[in-house]
Amino acid sequence: MNKEALKNLLYRMADDSLIIAHRNSEWTGLGPILEEDIAFSSIAQDKLGHALALYSLLHELGEADPDIIAFTRNEKQFFCAQLVEYPIGEYDFSLVRHFLFDTAEKIRYELLQQSSYEPLAKLAKKVSSEIKYHTFHAETWIKQLGSNGNEESKARIQSALNDVYPIAFSLFEKTSFEDAIVADGIFVGEETLQLRWVERVTSIVTASGLTLPSADYSVHYGGRNHYHTEYLQPLLDEMTVVFQIDPSAEW
Amino acid sequence: MVTNQTTYTVDDIRQMLYQVFDPEIPTISVVDLGVITNISVDDMGAVSVEMTPTFVGCPAIDVMKNGVIEVLQKNGIEHPKVTVSFDTPWDSNRVTEQGKKILKDFGLAPPPKYDLVFELDILHKVSCPFCDSENTVLQTPFGPTLCRSIHYCHNCSQAFEQFKPL
């Protein structure tokens, strides 16, 4: 198995989880209603757990300790998609991002249960059982605020969809390892994932009385190859501020 | 090579682990919670315990792991091998019958037995742990810990939590 290709995939997934976890956690204490405050916080904690599990797989493959990987890299060393970097914005933006991101995660982990790398296949099975709660949450609210909502809620979700949908394609940006990843059976590939994602997202959006905008797939590419938005480094500065005070501290 | 003065059986070890509790629900043991996935004792008497977390991000697993090591050492097993992995993933069917009773006594609706295919019905049809009524409603699938959802009972007018089916 191509070890570098495997590590590249793991880094992309782990960094997505870590950064979206941080963004979701920014709703703690600020959610529009208490239940949403708790939901975004809980999902953040799940994502952080997934990131740790993936960084642990990388550690077993010879990479640094999970805390070192998470807290000592700068933006040029991150593999996350630009979608997860954007600030939380208004609740509609965060909800639509959560819906588009977790729909992709759900399909990715379902497909990864067939991975030729057994530790990843096992983790994927476990993570899949948790993500169903995330997509259940997202879909419920898209429907509630879409076809079951009022003019204002529907207009806001539609407007957020128009903004976020094109950015979401950043999740499926390939790297130079793509062919090796597919050839070795590590993952079936970003193209298959994107096709299934578009299908699933389209069906939920349509059922919610909303429409998808047209999207130029590649406009928001870059993250997988270390070209990030202006928002990532400030996020990392904030996320690591305590760790940086004393990197050798025992937690 | 380390050998123990007393050679314990797998059953002996399991009995010891009944004394290790979930820090978030301190009345249920790690055995009844279903997070112990394997116990083995080899010819030399060396003890290995395998564990798995309820949720991947569960912060309680380290506390439980240390609890397992501590209780084994207290019983004279100096170097127990305790590992955490996803080799046997946790699902809510792993909670024992006794565990379900303990959860209910704690005020948590136990997870229903299910075939691991997620259907919304299992989130909605939950018996109230206080009055056993089924006239309840799901308020949010996310609760105060990763493994709990929040419900409301129309019969006894009380909010309650469920240990989520997973």
Side-chain angles (χ1 to χ4, degrees):
Chain A
M1 187 175 294
N2 186 323
K3 202 166 141 185
E4 291 311 307
L6 170 63
K7 287 202 279 194
N8 180 264
L9 176 67
L10 292 174
Y11 264 115
R12 281 185 269 144
M13 292 168 54
D15 287 350
D16 277 358
S17 290
L18 178 69
I19 302 304
I20 200 74
H22 188 83
R23 285 299 185 213
N24 284 343
S25 78
E26 291 181 71
W27 280 107
T28 304
L30 299 174
I33 53 172
L34 181 62
E35 285 82 355
E36 281 311 278
D37 196 308
I38 298 169
F40 268 86
S41 306
S42 271
I43 293 169
Q45 199 182 347
D46 276 336
K47 299 299 186 202
L48 204 56
H50 302 165
L52 174 59
L54 291 163
Y55 289 136
S56 299
L57 289 184
L58 281 162
H59 185 49
E60 285 165 18
L61 291 164
E63 297 296 288
D65 176 81
D67 279 352
I68 299 296
I69 303 179
F71 293 126
T72 63
R73 287 178 301 155
N74 64 44
E75 60 144 339
K76 279 289 171 205
Q77 297 165 298
F78 267 77
F79 296 78
C80 54
Q82 294 191 358
L83 175 69
V84 297
E85 301 167 11
Y86 282 84
I88 57 174
E90 302 267 336
Y91 178 72
D92 46 36
F93 179 93
S94 279
L95 177 68
V96 168
R97 170 166 60 183
H98 157 46
F99 163 60
L100 296 176
F101 178 76
D102 277 299
T103 303
E105 287 271 282
K106 183 164 187 276
I107 301 167
R108 188 186 287 277
Y109 280 103
E110 276 167 8
L111 293 168
L112 279 168
Q113 292 182 36
Q114 314 299 325
S115 174
S116 58
Y117 188 59
E118 212 189 331
L120 180 57
K122 280 179 177 165
L123 179 66
K125 188 172 177 223
K126 177 66 184 164
V127 170
S128 293
S129 71
E130 297 180 7
I131 288 187
K132 66 193 179 191
Y133 278 104
H134 303 179
T135 49
F136 166 60
H137 173 261
E139 290 170 17
T140 302
W141 278 108
I142 294 290
K143 231 164 250 178
Q144 275 308 107
L145 299 174
S147 45
N148 295 345
N150 59 27
E151 280 310 307
E152 189 194 351
S153 72
K154 203 171 163 181
R156 289 187 69 146
I157 295 298
Q158 183 61 57
S159 159
L161 259 180
N162 295 346
D163 291 341
V164 187
Y165 184 69
I167 309 174
F169 284 89
S170 64
L171 291 170
F172 314 113
E173 178 191 358
K174 295 177 196 168
T175 65
S176 58
F177 292 102
E178 183 71 8
D179 290 346
I181 288 168
V182 176
D184 282 359
I186 299 168
F187 180 53
V188 69
E190 301 299 319
E191 265 172 43
T192 304
L193 172 60
Q194 180 178 318
L195 271 172
R196 295 209 189 175
W197 176 83
V198 169
E199 207 176 294
R200 180 77 188 142
V201 164
T202 304
S203 99
I204 294 160
V205 163
T206 309
S208 306
L210 303 159
T211 54
L212 286 172
S214 60
D216 182 349
Y217 296 172
S218 61
V219 172
H220 299 275
Y221 280 1
R224 303 303 191 196
N225 292 295
H226 312 292
Y227 293 98
H228 296 286
T229 63
E230 62 193 293
Y231 307 112
L232 181 59
Q233 190 57 49
L235 179 153
L236 296 175
D237 292 342
E238 185 187 270
M239 185 175 76
T240 60
V241 69
V242 176
F243 183 88
Q244 298 301 346
I245 293 169
D246 182 2
S248 64
E250 287 273 343
W251 291 88
Chain B
M1 179 56 68
V2 180
T3 52
N4 299 300
Q5 284 188 317
T6 322
T7 300
Y8 291 110
T9 66
V10 168
D11 252 4
D12 295 334
I13 305 295
R14 187 175 295 113
Q15 287 306 317
M16 293 173 200
L17 300 187
Y18 275 108
Q19 299 156 39
V20 182
F21 297 94
D22 176 349
E24 287 171 345
I25 308 164
T27 52
I28 190 166
S29 74
V30 289
V31 180
D32 285 324
L33 189 58
V35 299
I36 303 296
T37 53
N38 194 41
I39 300 171
S40 63
V41 182
D42 75 7
D43 296 345
M44 307 291 289
V47 173
S48 306
V49 175
E50 286 169 35
M51 309 177 66
T52 195
T54 53
F55 279 67
V56 176
C58 177
I61 190 69
D62 286 337
V63 178
M64 291 190 268
K65 182 184 173 187
N66 290 337
V68 167
I69 294 172
E70 214 169 276
V71 78
L72 295 175
Q73 288 179 336
K74 226 190 279 175
N75 283 278
I77 302 159
E78 281 179 44
H79 302 287
K81 191 177 163 222
V82 182
T83 48
V84 175
S85 82
F86 301 105
D87 288 353
T88 308
W90 186 88
D91 62 60
S92 51
N93 290 339
R94 294 187 60 84
V95 178
T96 64
E97 286 308 311
Q98 186 181 325
K100 287 180 185 172
K101 194 180 167 303
I102 292 168
L103 289 175
K104 188 165 183 271
D105 291 343
F106 189 75
L108 290 173
K113 195 158 189 67
Y114 82 118
D115 58 7
L116 305 183
V117 177
F118 189 65
E119 278 166 25
L120 294 181
D121 269 7
I122 59 166
L123 271 180
H124 288 291
K125 286 185 183 155
V126 179
S127 300
C128 171
F130 304 116
C131 74
D132 294 320
S133 167
E134 293 212 340
N135 186 14
T136 66
V137 61
L138 169 72
Q139 295 213 300
T140 162
F142 298 99
T145 70
L146 292 184
C147 51
R148 304 187 205 176
S149 50
I150 301 177
H151 304 253
Y152 184 79
C153 176
H154 289 300
N155 188 50
C156 67
S157 305
Q158 277 220 74
F160 67 92
E161 293 165 14
Q162 182 198 24
F163 202 99
K164 278 193 229 182
L166 189 75

